[in-house]
Amino acid sequence: MVRRKPLVVVTRKLPDSVETRMRELFDAKLNLEDVPMDQAALVEAVKTADVLVPTVTDRIDSAVLSQAGENLRLIASFSNGVDHIDVASALNRGITVTNTPGVLTEDTADMTMALILAVPRRLAEGAQVMISDKEEWPGWSPTWMLGRRIWGKRLGIIGMGRIGQAVARRAKAFGLQIHYHNRRRLPTGIEEMLDATYWDSLDQMLARMDIVSVNCPHTPATYHLLSARRLKLLKPEAYVVNTARGEVIDENALTRQLEAGELAGAGLDVFEHEPAVNPKLIRLARHGKVVLLPHLGSATLEGRVDMGEKVIVNIKTFMDGHRPPDRVLPAML
């Protein structure tokens, strides 16, 4: 008897090599148009699928899960974070949830470091001058387009997991002094290797930093972790960089402080209400106060292929009756 291949519904277009392998191993229903699924389409998917492969833009909430069919036993998310999935509701319905940790670390840390450099050194603003139709570059000048030095500044990392540590390694090479706040203090050996100073009080760390990098996941505990009150603790000459999740920062409060000159600048790859971007942030970016990127932190071909391979391993392992390697548990959230 030939065993039926599991029906795997993929919500977005994935790299060709990943989709080809999925078609070989599973009865894969692909989204070749790459049009985001609305809630009705997601409900239809969970009704019919054995495995759902969503991405960070798909809201798999309790309303969607309440209509899941009996065959749905695995949500293998093509993502590092799982804040787009109601994991508790899934587990209560006997549905296993997996993600793709680890493979995005270096790419996201590279982008974080790029923003740490870009904002104080005015890279985006300078690049725009070179291609502007409105003005011609007048040539080098001793006082034109002056930014701020990176070397010797204090970097405060919020969230010292894989990505936070990878950012710290890069920043140390650029001569930054590494500080961090985390749910748990790192082992002494890692702190020594990174020359990292631990702060159990986030408030105290923020008040002393020149640059703050957000590298923690979005959970109920980290929603607006950088609140209006905490943003007020930052020095007026400080910069904020976020490549984690937009919801971690009170975006309206951040925008108000930038407009008022109470912060030197910000580099943002993620936004609180993606894909919508606060128009005031766009205006600030046009005036060189902010660098905005369209969620490019993990956007490398190698990274996306590695994510897809992790998804496939999780599905194959689960369907073979074993525990998938990247299972998400409530204690991890």
Side-chain angles (χ1 to χ4, degrees):
M1 178 178 174
V2 178
R3 185 180 178 185
R4 180 180 72 88
K5 290 183 178 181
L7 174 59
V8 176
V9 177
V10 184
T11 66
R12 296 297 295 269
K13 177 79 176 72
L14 302 183
D16 288 348
S17 61
V18 174
E19 291 185 336
T20 300
R21 189 62 178 145
M22 283 189 170
R23 291 297 298 269
E24 291 171 348
L25 292 172
F26 318 122
D27 178 11
K29 184 177 180 181
L30 306 176
N31 183 351
L32 299 179
E33 300 297 323
D34 199 27
V35 177
M37 289 185 173
D38 58 19
Q39 187 178 42
L42 289 172
V43 167
E44 184 61 30
V46 300
K47 282 181 177 179
T48 59
D50 297 305
V51 179
L52 180 70
V53 180
T55 68
V56 293
T57 61
D58 301 304
R59 187 62 54 186
I60 314 300
D61 55 21
S62 58
V64 171
L65 290 169
S66 68
Q67 301 188 62
E70 293 183 359
N71 288 335
L72 183 64
R73 286 292 172 263
L74 175 65
I75 298 174
S77 189
F78 185 86
S79 65
N80 186 29
V82 291
D83 51 306
H84 56 296
I85 302 171
D86 188 334
V87 175
S89 292
L91 297 181
N92 286 337
R93 297 183 65 85
I95 301 170
T96 298
V97 178
T98 62
N99 63 342
T100 60
V103 295
L104 314 179
T105 299
E106 304 303 331
D107 294 331
T108 305
D110 284 345
M111 189 60 73
T112 304
M113 196 66 223
L115 285 172
I116 289 172
L117 291 168
V119 182
R121 293 303 305 271
R122 304 173 68 177
L123 298 189
E125 194 179 353
Q128 188 61 39
V129 168
M130 303 303 291
I131 60 173
S132 173
D133 294 329
K134 298 179 180 179
E135 58 179 316
E136 184 176 338
W137 178 45
W140 181 87
S141 166
T143 57
W144 186 67
M145 285 285 294
L146 297 182
R148 298 298 295 273
R149 178 180 292 163
I150 299 297
W151 184 89
K153 297 297 191 294
R154 292 186 176 93
L155 170 67
I157 298 174
I158 302 175
M160 202 63 147
R162 293 186 186 94
I163 295 172
Q165 291 178 44
V167 170
R169 291 196 300 272
R170 287 159 174 76
K172 181 184 175 185
F174 277 85
L176 286 151
Q177 298 178 39
I178 310 302
H179 297 251
Y180 77 98
H181 171 79
N182 202 45
R183 283 190 302 173
R184 300 181 185 87
R185 186 168 184 171
L186 296 177
T188 302
I190 297 178
E191 281 191 352
E192 292 177 349
M193 179 184 67
L194 298 173
D195 288 335
T197 300
Y198 171 68
W199 294 83
D200 58 359
S201 168
L202 176 57
D203 288 6
Q204 290 187 15
M205 184 184 81
L206 291 174
R208 294 163 171 82
M209 296 300 107
D210 301 301
I211 304 167
V212 172
S213 177
V214 178
N215 299 106
C216 62
H218 171 225
T219 68
T222 63
Y223 175 76
H224 280 192
L225 185 65
L226 283 187
S227 60
R229 180 189 67 80
R230 284 200 168 114
L231 288 168
K232 287 286 188 182
L233 299 174
L234 292 167
K235 299 185 293 186
E237 60 270 24
Y239 300 89
V240 175
V241 169
N242 187 7
T243 57
R245 284 289 186 269
E247 296 90 339
V248 178
I249 300 179
D250 183 337
E251 196 170 273
N252 284 329
L254 175 68
T255 303
R256 286 195 299 270
Q257 282 193 236
L258 288 165
E259 287 181 321
E262 295 170 355
L263 285 173
L268 306 174
D269 186 44
V270 289
F271 306 92
E272 190 169 350
H273 304 290
E274 287 188 30
V277 180
N278 189 321
K280 293 180 179 179
L281 283 176
I282 295 174
R283 185 166 64 248
L284 286 164
R286 287 174 178 152
H287 288 86
K289 192 86 171 180
V290 176
V291 175
L292 305 178
L293 296 177
H295 207 142
L296 295 179
S298 61
T300 66
L301 177 59
E302 296 88 344
R304 295 289 191 251
V305 170
D306 288 346
M307 290 171 71
E309 289 175 351
K310 266 192 172 286
V311 169
I312 291 170
V313 168
N314 282 320
I315 298 172
K316 190 74 170 61
T317 305
F318 182 83
M319 288 301 169
D320 288 344
H322 304 294
R323 178 182 296 175
D326 301 308
R327 186 172 58 154
V328 177
L329 300 174
M332 300 165 59
L333 303 178

